[in-house]
Amino acid sequence: SGTLTVSELADKLNKDSSEIIKNLLFLGVMATKNQDLDDDAIELICSEYDVEVEKEIILEDTDFDKYIEEDDPKDLKERPAVVTIMGHVDHGKTTLLDAIRQSKVTAGEAGGITQHIGAYQIEVNDKKITFLDTPGHEAFTSMRSRGAEVTDLAILVVAADDGVMPQTVEALNHAKAAEVPIIVAVNKMDKDTANPDRVMQELTEYEIIPEDWGGDTIFVPISALTNQGIDELLEMILLVAEMQELKANPNTHAFGTVIEAELDRGRGAVATLLVQNGTLHVGDSIVVGNTFGRVRAMLNDVGKRVKEAGPSTPVEITGLNEVPQAGDQFLVFADEKKARQIGEARHQQAILETRSEHTKVSLDDLFEHI
Ligand code: GTP
Ligand code: MG
């Protein structure tokens, strides 16, 4: 990390080195002109001159992009699709998520299924599909706004008895903006008042046109209550996913996004992570958002302990110093010291960013105008 010498600091503050040395002495620090100063000393001197130090200039580079190596195309392997279910209030998102999960629960897993980790994975025709169990699209959008596109495919649930409603439009606009393909699940087909033609008609206004009508959007009539059409829906998901040729490199440091996180009384900070690239292991040194730690234990979506998690796999981990936020990104570092450095720097930066919301001055700005 780049510290400053006495004379460099003097330059920045537009003072004489001798004056800085005198002040340091006054503060109980003996220093010569070319001596490196630690952060505390720099801060002390700056506060003498009423200059607030933005620590980031003397900190590690905190951007994950700096540490992610581009994957060699030959290392890329097929990975499961990550699916989000969206739609208007009460149109059946939660019921559908439950129906899909129930339809694929094996007897052995039944006990663990009450475990809720914010995402789950099922297997259809030997292929896995990951569902983000975050009904509504807040999670979808907050993750997107942080630049991490976690969703590969959106299921737009529209109740056949209610038709297109404001949040249906909102949802489809989000998916379109993210360039995420949409499959329309026309739900509640078991109802007498179901009118799927009306749903199709209404969606054409938003350029979502069924294949039957010459468009390219797949519509699947379903009932999340009676399980009608669920298998067809899953097959369509696999079909669309296959066309996307989703790939990741399982043999690299894990990178991904926080699905949800909370403080557990017994276990401390608990976070559900979606691995997007690489493989996450127990014992990995990890930076998550503005915190860091070592993966102590990992549970899969049915509450079983696992030692590793590959691309598109959701896992719940413990071992972080603090609770991160949904939508935060994470990255594993080969070396624990590096993870600590980057984690601490990001933490520091977050504090400064919050603080500078009211006192918006950076050290560079300040020094330029002294
Ligand atoms: P919010 O989370 O509040 O946005 O609602 P949601 O989209 O998750 O809807 P939810 O799954 O909670 O379903 C709302 C109501 O519709 C519940 O009473 C469900 O039982 C009912 N429902 C869901 N799917 C079907 C269906 O296929 N047929 C019928 N008849 N009712 C359904
Ligand atoms: Mg719901």
Side-chain angles (χ1 to χ4, degrees), residues 93-95 135-136:
K93 300 177 292 293
T94 303
T95 311

Side-chain angles (χ1 to χ4, degrees), residues 88-95 135 187-188 190-191 223-225:
H88 193 72
V89 172
D90 275 354
H91 279 199
K93 300 177 292 293
T94 303
T95 311
N187 192 31
K188 307 200 184 183
D190 59 288
K191 285 192 152 184
S223 166
L225 213 59

Side-chain angles (χ1 to χ4, degrees), residues 252-290:
T252 188
H253 295 146
F255 167 83
T257 298
V258 177
I259 303 301
E260 55 183 32
E262 58 172 17
L263 189 64
D264 182 280
R265 258 196 221 169
R267 296 185 295 158
V270 175
T272 300
L273 308 180
L274 178 74
V275 179
Q276 291 176 269
N277 199 40
T279 296
L280 184 65
H281 308 89
V282 168
D284 277 351
S285 298
I286 190 171
V287 178
V288 185
N290 302 318

Side-chain angles (χ1 to χ4, degrees), residues 19-265:
E19 189 182 326
I20 302 292
I21 291 170
K22 211 159 66 191
N23 268 310
L24 279 167
L25 204 58
F26 192 66
L27 295 163
V29 181
M30 290 262 260
T32 60
K33 215 174 148 196
N34 295 317
Q35 193 166 330
D36 279 338
L37 293 171
D38 62 20
D39 293 358
D40 290 344
I42 293 171
E43 212 160 340
L44 277 171
I45 289 296
C46 286
S47 69
E48 283 291 296
Y49 295 108
D50 284 330
V51 174
E52 258 216 64
V53 189
E54 282 235 352
K55 270 197 175 166
E56 60 197 299
I57 62 140
I58 50 167
L59 289 169
E60 289 285 333
D61 213 327
T62 56
D63 195 346
F64 281 163
D65 290 344
K66 288 254 147 54
Y67 308 97
I68 297 174
E69 287 162 35
E70 212 176 312
D71 293 307
D72 190 327
K74 74 170 166 34
D75 295 330
L76 299 178
K77 303 250 155 52
E78 196 181 326
R79 65 165 177 84
V82 178
V83 180
T84 301
I85 295 185
M86 310 169 89
H88 193 72
V89 172
D90 275 354
H91 279 199
K93 300 177 292 293
T94 303
T95 311
L96 175 58
L97 270 162
D98 289 346
I100 291 169
R101 179 156 46 182
Q102 293 307 328
S103 75
K104 297 295 161 190
V105 180
T106 62
E109 286 174 340
I113 215 74
T114 47
Q115 185 90 12
H116 174 92
I117 76 157
Y120 66 80
Q121 211 171 48
I122 60 159
E123 211 169 284
V124 185
N125 305 337
D126 293 329
K127 294 212 186 267
K128 287 176 176 161
I129 308 172
T130 302
F131 286 89
L132 295 185
D133 193 357
T134 44
H137 35 79
E138 288 85 0
F140 184 84
T141 49
S142 76
M143 284 173 205
R144 215 171 76 71
S145 65
R146 287 178 169 89
E149 195 63 78
V150 295
T151 304
D152 300 309
L153 208 165
I155 305 298
L156 183 63
V157 178
V158 189
D161 61 337
D162 205 21
V164 171
M165 299 299 277
Q167 282 169 44
T168 314
V169 177
E170 216 176 286
L172 71 88
N173 282 334
H174 285 310
K176 277 186 171 182
E179 293 180 26
V180 169
I182 297 170
I183 292 178
V184 180
V186 183
N187 192 31
K188 307 200 184 183
M189 287 299 288
D190 59 288
K191 285 192 152 184
D192 293 340
T193 46
N195 186 351
D197 280 346
R198 186 180 125 209
V199 173
M200 293 194 267
Q201 189 61 55
E202 287 170 345
L203 281 173
T204 58
E205 280 177 46
Y206 305 93
E207 280 120 47
I208 294 186
I209 302 163
E211 288 181 313
D212 290 353
W213 295 2
D216 55 11
T217 304
I218 295 170
F219 281 64
V220 187
I222 64 160
S223 166
L225 213 59
T226 68
N227 280 354
Q228 174 198 336
I230 301 297
D231 287 342
E232 287 86 338
L233 179 63
L234 295 174
E235 268 162 41
M236 291 305 139
I237 291 172
L238 286 181
L239 189 80
V240 174
E242 204 161 303
M243 292 192 295
Q244 288 178 284
E245 295 182 29
L246 305 166
K247 286 183 175 160
N249 177 7
N251 296 311
T252 188
H253 295 146
F255 167 83
T257 298
V258 177
I259 303 301
E260 55 183 32
E262 58 172 17
L263 189 64
D264 182 280
R265 258 196 221 169

